[in-house]
Amino acid sequence: MPETPFGSPARRSEIIELAALEGHDADVPSNVGFIEEHEKAHHRKHLPEAANSTDVDLEKDLEKNGDTASLSSEDDVAGEAAAEAEDPNVVWWDGPTDPENPLNWSFFKKWGTVGIVSALTFLTPLASSAFAPGVPEVMAEFHSTSQLLESFMVSVYVLGFAFGPLIFAPLSEMYGRLPIYHICNILFIIFTVAAAVSTNMSMFVVFRFFMGSAGGAPLALGGGTIADLISREQRGTAMAIWLLGPTMGPCIGPIIGGFLTQAKGWRWNFWLIAILTGGFACISFVLMRETSAPVILARKAKRLRKETGNPNLRSKLESKLSGKELFWLSIIRPTKMLTRSWICFLISLYVAITYAYLYILFTTFTSVFEQQYGFSGSVVGLSFLGLGIGSLSGQFVFTWAGNKTATKHIKAGDFKAEHRLEIMLPGGFFIPIGLFWYGWSVQAGVHWIVPILGTFFVGFGLLLTFMPANTYLVEVFTVHAASAMAANTVLRSIAASLLPLSSQQMYKALGYGWGNSLLGFVSLALIPIPFIFRKYGERIRKSSKAIA
């Protein structure tokens, strides 16, 4: 079997786990190796041939947790690894304490990098909603009365999240994570400043989209950076810190934005983001180093070829995929998994609609609490607190209950992918409860704390839907988990950017009570999905095929 950076054998599950964290499928090398497929043992030289092979040769039972004949068995991998170990041309770490290995970096160097990446991962989701309280000012300044644009200027940012990572992921495999961080930080700052100085609505919306595209880099690469640096035993703590960004950023943003808009105007929301990101970008230029093991070893092999004159030296983690193939698979695989796997499509649909509800609330909170409750421009940001506290609570409950459930079944020896859905079963009920509560309390005009308490349940249910769905996709698709999660990300980002466009018209036609009830009824209709997969998921996986 492949060896870990410390020389002990890498289990297949560890390779898959690392690949999922790094945002690529397990047939692309991570720092403990990769799982090779027999169909791809030969190296395809031309993209059209790769496309044909993807269409014909790579059909396999992806939903059977990767247990198919097309995947290399552990014995095969062990034999290949043993052959490589005897090959003097294979370049690997210089022992278990090699200082080039990011896992051997000093405590401060490792956790300093985690801190920088976590800060960037907090700032980019925060920017998605920070200026939401300033939307009325933007509309007035650009002389627009379009309700569609009023919603789209907020949600278009999330549309960028759908497309940016599809490009960044394969580029990071070819050139390393560090250049992508630096380039995307610079682009994010440029587009943020451009949004701040926009002179018309078209400019503003376009730059918001590009902000989201560049801002997706820390979200796409952060998990991989943590996996590069932190041992498996300590990784949970680092991941918990990193996940606070996408969990809390969108909810804290409007609180800051409300007071900043009132004091300095809407443009200062963007200036603040640009200043903070610029500070952390400068820190990253000085302190961050490349962490991707395949890239570090590839550079080491290149250096040794030059020093020794031996052209046959190669990295042990050298990928058999060309750059064109990486791009092809990163775009085509998720699309095929969405269209040819019922599990991937229905779970992603559930998450997409739920996630869209979050941005429907983001784009309408300002008008609701200003018009219905007379909140000032500064205080209106506090109306997002219910969502934020609910999301944070859901994060803690998922971590505790999910780990407890998995540990129990693993000890009993009967664990299967569907056990990841157990926390999702009750979690789905909180979203319609919260929507009914919020909508009818606003409609009735009761005290403002009542609808905010309702949004707590929406945020709580969102996390208990979103997190189990992702872990379930990893368990089901194993080797190709990253493609399944990419499919999930694309669908939910598109839904979150487009569905809110009709929210104002919906509330105008139905009122806040029936409008949110409509959303609640749709959410109720989706609740059976995890119940069906919890009971029949294993049978579905064994009888269906998806295309990689």
Side-chain angles (χ1 to χ4, degrees):
M1 296 179 67
E3 292 182 344
T4 67
F6 298 111
S8 58
R11 293 177 297 174
R12 185 176 183 275
S13 61
E14 186 175 355
I15 296 174
I16 291 169
E17 177 189 339
L18 276 172
L21 285 174
E22 293 174 7
H24 59 75
D25 290 339
D27 53 1
V28 176
S30 64
N31 63 2
V32 293
F34 61 102
I35 296 174
E36 186 174 2
E37 298 169 26
H38 293 309
E39 287 93 343
K40 289 158 54 176
H42 65 284
H43 184 67
R44 299 183 294 272
K45 296 182 180 179
H46 302 291
L47 186 59
E49 293 178 10
N52 293 334
S53 181
T54 301
D55 289 335
V56 179
D57 297 334
L58 297 184
E59 182 169 342
K60 53 182 76 67
D61 298 316
L62 293 181
E63 296 171 353
K64 297 181 182 178
N65 292 48
D67 297 328
T68 66
S70 65
L71 297 178
S72 297
S73 69
E74 293 190 353
D75 289 340
D76 292 337
V77 176
E80 292 167 6
E84 282 188 345
E86 297 172 1
D87 189 342
N89 292 320
V90 172
V91 176
W92 188 233
W93 304 116
D94 296 333
T97 59
D98 187 345
E100 285 193 67
N101 185 347
L103 286 169
N104 293 325
W105 288 359
S106 69
F107 175 89
F108 291 105
K109 188 175 181 180
K110 287 197 290 187
W111 285 96
T113 302
V114 171
I116 295 169
V117 172
S118 297
L120 293 170
T121 310
F122 173 76
L123 285 173
T124 52
L126 182 141
S128 71
S129 59
F131 93 107
V135 167
E137 284 194 14
V138 180
M139 298 293 289
E141 183 168 334
F142 292 151
H143 309 291
S144 175
T145 58
S146 170
Q147 292 181 332
L148 186 146
L149 280 175
E150 186 176 352
S151 298
F152 192 55
M153 71 170 74
V154 177
S155 62
V156 68
Y157 188 94
V158 190
L159 191 62
F161 280 175
F163 297 103
L166 292 178
I167 299 173
F168 304 144
L171 284 176
S172 69
E173 303 304 327
M174 290 186 284
Y175 304 110
R177 306 193 207 287
L178 192 62
I180 306 302
Y181 276 123
H182 291 334
I183 292 170
C184 288
N185 283 341
I186 293 171
L187 290 176
F188 183 75
I189 294 167
I190 291 172
F191 293 131
T192 302
V193 171
V197 299
S198 295
T199 56
N200 59 63
M201 185 65 76
S202 298
M203 285 177 62
F204 182 75
V205 169
V206 168
F207 289 133
R208 280 277 292 171
F209 170 77
F210 285 119
M211 277 179 67
S213 298
L219 295 169
L221 306 180
T225 301
I226 290 172
D228 294 338
L229 293 167
I230 309 299
S231 66
R232 204 175 190 185
E233 295 74 22
Q234 297 177 306
R235 200 173 294 151
T237 302
M239 290 297 294
I241 295 170
W242 178 69
L243 283 170
L244 285 176
T247 301
M248 295 303 299
C251 300
I252 293 176
I255 299 173
I256 298 171
F259 289 100
L260 192 57
T261 299
Q262 183 77 9
K264 292 288 187 179
W266 67 268
R267 294 180 189 272
W268 261 95
N269 288 296
F270 294 90
W271 289 118
L272 177 64
I273 296 295
I275 291 167
L276 292 174
T277 306
F280 281 104
C282 291
I283 294 172
S284 69
F285 271 112
V286 175
L287 299 181
M288 284 182 70
R289 298 291 181 268
E290 182 58 62
T291 64
S292 173
V295 172
I296 294 171
L297 289 170
R299 292 173 182 172
K300 181 179 179 179
K302 182 179 180 181
R303 184 180 73 245
L304 291 174
R305 284 195 295 269
K306 184 177 181 180
E307 292 174 356
T308 64
N310 181 0
N312 297 318
L313 292 174
R314 68 185 187 280
S315 165
K316 189 173 183 177
L317 300 180
E318 184 177 78
S319 176
K320 293 179 172 60
L321 295 171
S322 68
K324 287 183 178 180
E325 287 175 311
L326 279 172
F327 267 108
W328 178 259
L329 294 179
S330 72
I331 295 171
I332 297 301
R333 261 188 188 166
T335 304
K336 288 190 172 183
M337 295 178 87
L338 263 184
T339 57
R340 306 191 187 189
S341 165
W342 279 110
I343 288 178
C344 186
F345 173 72
L346 289 176
I347 290 292
S348 298
L349 178 67
Y350 193 172
V351 170
I353 292 176
T354 302
Y355 196 67
Y357 287 172
L358 180 67
Y359 279 86
I360 288 175
L361 297 180
F362 279 162
T363 56
T364 57
F365 269 4
T366 300
S367 60
V368 168
F369 284 93
E370 283 186 346
Q371 296 171 15
Q372 299 286 107
Y373 293 98
F375 279 23
S376 66
S378 58
V379 177
V380 74
L382 297 175
S383 61
F384 291 77
L385 270 176
L387 277 173
I389 297 172
S391 298
L392 186 62
S393 302
Q395 180 76 52
F396 286 128
V397 170
F398 163 75
T399 302
W400 172 78
N403 289 341
K404 185 178 180 181
T405 299
T407 301
K408 180 185 73 174
H409 287 289
I410 289 171
K411 286 183 177 178
D414 63 350
F415 178 81
K416 56 184 179 181
E418 284 66 35
H419 289 130
R420 295 292 188 185
L421 294 175
E422 290 187 2
I423 189 63
M424 193 175 176
L425 304 182
F429 288 95
F430 287 99
I431 296 172
I433 289 172
L435 289 169
F436 293 140
W437 185 326
Y438 164 72
W440 287 108
S441 59
V442 169
Q443 185 78 23
V446 298
H447 191 274
W448 54 264
I449 192 64
V450 179
I452 290 177
L453 287 174
T455 63
F456 168 90
F457 290 99
V458 177
F460 187 75
L462 172 70
L463 263 291
L464 293 188
T465 300
F466 178 76
M467 299 302 291
N470 276 340
T471 56
Y472 179 57
L473 290 176
V474 172
E475 293 288 351
V476 168
F477 292 97
T478 58
V479 176
H480 301 98
S483 288
M485 289 194 292
N488 181 301
T489 299
V490 169
L491 191 62
R492 79 167 186 261
S493 298
I494 292 173
S497 63
L498 299 181
L499 288 183
L501 301 185
S502 60
S503 57
Q504 295 284 13
Q505 292 92 328
M506 176 187 69
Y507 287 137
K508 186 177 181 179
L510 300 176
Y512 291 109
W514 282 113
N516 284 289
S517 292
L518 175 61
L519 302 181
F521 288 134
V522 173
S523 187
L524 280 173
L526 295 171
I527 285 176
I529 290 176
F531 282 89
I532 291 170
F533 287 133
R534 174 65 182 86
K535 186 171 183 178
Y536 302 108
E538 187 174 20
R539 187 185 307 174
I540 293 171
R541 287 190 281 113
K542 289 181 177 178
S543 62
S544 64
K545 288 187 176 183
I547 298 294

